[in-house]
PDB file of all heavy atoms in Angstrom:
ATOM      1  N   SER A  99      28.370   0.177 -89.701  1.00  0.00           N
ATOM      2  CA  SER A  99      28.823  -1.191 -89.429  1.00  0.00           C
ATOM      3  C   SER A  99      30.340  -1.254 -89.307  1.00  0.00           C
ATOM      4  O   SER A  99      30.877  -1.944 -88.425  1.00  0.00           O
ATOM      5  CB  SER A  99      28.342  -2.130 -90.540  1.00  0.00           C
ATOM      6  OG  SER A  99      26.927  -2.111 -90.625  1.00  0.00           O
ATOM      7  N   ILE A 157      12.625  10.041 -99.252  1.00  0.00           N
ATOM      8  CA  ILE A 157      12.346  11.432 -99.619  1.00  0.00           C
ATOM      9  C   ILE A 157      11.526  12.096 -98.525  1.00  0.00           C
ATOM     10  O   ILE A 157      11.797  13.233 -98.127  1.00  0.00           O
ATOM     11  CB  ILE A 157      11.604  11.479-100.971  1.00  0.00           C
ATOM     12  CG1 ILE A 157      12.497  10.899-102.073  1.00  0.00           C
ATOM     13  CG2 ILE A 157      11.188  12.898-101.302  1.00  0.00           C
ATOM     14  CD1 ILE A 157      11.831  10.850-103.428  1.00  0.00           C
ATOM     15  N   TRP A 208      25.420  23.281 -91.317  1.00  0.00           N
ATOM     16  CA  TRP A 208      24.713  23.147 -90.053  1.00  0.00           C
ATOM     17  C   TRP A 208      24.014  21.802 -89.995  1.00  0.00           C
ATOM     18  O   TRP A 208      23.916  21.079 -90.994  1.00  0.00           O
ATOM     19  CB  TRP A 208      23.690  24.269 -89.899  1.00  0.00           C
ATOM     20  CG  TRP A 208      24.291  25.633 -89.969  1.00  0.00           C
ATOM     21  CD1 TRP A 208      24.481  26.390 -91.086  1.00  0.00           C
ATOM     22  CD2 TRP A 208      24.817  26.387 -88.876  1.00  0.00           C
ATOM     23  NE1 TRP A 208      25.085  27.580 -90.757  1.00  0.00           N
ATOM     24  CE2 TRP A 208      25.307  27.617 -89.409  1.00  0.00           C
ATOM     25  CE3 TRP A 208      24.934  26.165 -87.514  1.00  0.00           C
ATOM     26  CZ2 TRP A 208      25.876  28.604 -88.623  1.00  0.00           C
ATOM     27  CZ3 TRP A 208      25.494  27.144 -86.737  1.00  0.00           C
ATOM     28  CH2 TRP A 208      25.968  28.347 -87.270  1.00  0.00           C
ATOM     29  N   ALA A 231      30.690  11.397 -89.112  1.00  0.00           N
ATOM     30  CA  ALA A 231      31.116  10.218 -89.851  1.00  0.00           C
ATOM     31  C   ALA A 231      32.024  10.609 -91.007  1.00  0.00           C
ATOM     32  O   ALA A 231      31.918  11.708 -91.566  1.00  0.00           O
ATOM     33  CB  ALA A 231      29.895   9.465 -90.377  1.00  0.00           C
ATOM     34  N   ARG A 272      32.750  14.962 -62.695  1.00  0.00           N
ATOM     35  CA  ARG A 272      32.537  16.253 -63.335  1.00  0.00           C
ATOM     36  C   ARG A 272      33.788  16.729 -64.050  1.00  0.00           C
ATOM     37  O   ARG A 272      33.728  17.259 -65.166  1.00  0.00           O
ATOM     38  CB  ARG A 272      32.103  17.287 -62.291  1.00  0.00           C
ATOM     39  CG  ARG A 272      31.696  18.627 -62.890  1.00  0.00           C
ATOM     40  CD  ARG A 272      31.327  19.634 -61.822  1.00  0.00           C
ATOM     41  NE  ARG A 272      30.251  19.134 -60.966  1.00  0.00           N
ATOM     42  CZ  ARG A 272      30.426  18.766 -59.701  1.00  0.00           C
ATOM     43  NH1 ARG A 272      31.632  18.850 -59.140  1.00  0.00           N
ATOM     44  NH2 ARG A 272      29.411  18.317 -58.989  1.00  0.00           N
ATOM     45  N   PRO A 328      45.589   9.646 -82.908  1.00  0.00           N
ATOM     46  CA  PRO A 328      44.834  10.876 -82.581  1.00  0.00           C
ATOM     47  C   PRO A 328      45.140  12.040 -83.511  1.00  0.00           C
ATOM     48  O   PRO A 328      44.323  12.960 -83.619  1.00  0.00           O
ATOM     49  CB  PRO A 328      45.273  11.175 -81.139  1.00  0.00           C
ATOM     50  CG  PRO A 328      45.791   9.884 -80.597  1.00  0.00           C
ATOM     51  CD  PRO A 328      46.399   9.172 -81.770  1.00  0.00           C
ATOM     52  N   ARG A 363       6.615   6.715 -64.914  1.00  0.00           N
ATOM     53  CA  ARG A 363       5.504   7.062 -65.799  1.00  0.00           C
ATOM     54  C   ARG A 363       4.564   5.885 -66.015  1.00  0.00           C
ATOM     55  O   ARG A 363       3.336   6.024 -65.976  1.00  0.00           O
ATOM     56  CB  ARG A 363       6.049   7.559 -67.141  1.00  0.00           C
ATOM     57  CG  ARG A 363       4.954   8.038 -68.081  1.00  0.00           C
ATOM     58  CD  ARG A 363       5.522   8.659 -69.334  1.00  0.00           C
ATOM     59  NE  ARG A 363       6.189   7.679 -70.197  1.00  0.00           N
ATOM     60  CZ  ARG A 363       7.492   7.574 -70.349  1.00  0.00           C
ATOM     61  NH1 ARG A 363       8.306   8.398 -69.686  1.00  0.00           N
ATOM     62  NH2 ARG A 363       8.027   6.669 -71.146  1.00  0.00           N
TER      63      ARG A 363
END
Side-chain angles (χ1 to χ4, degrees):
S99 301
I157 297 178
W208 302 89
R272 187 182 303 109
R363 184 174 68 253

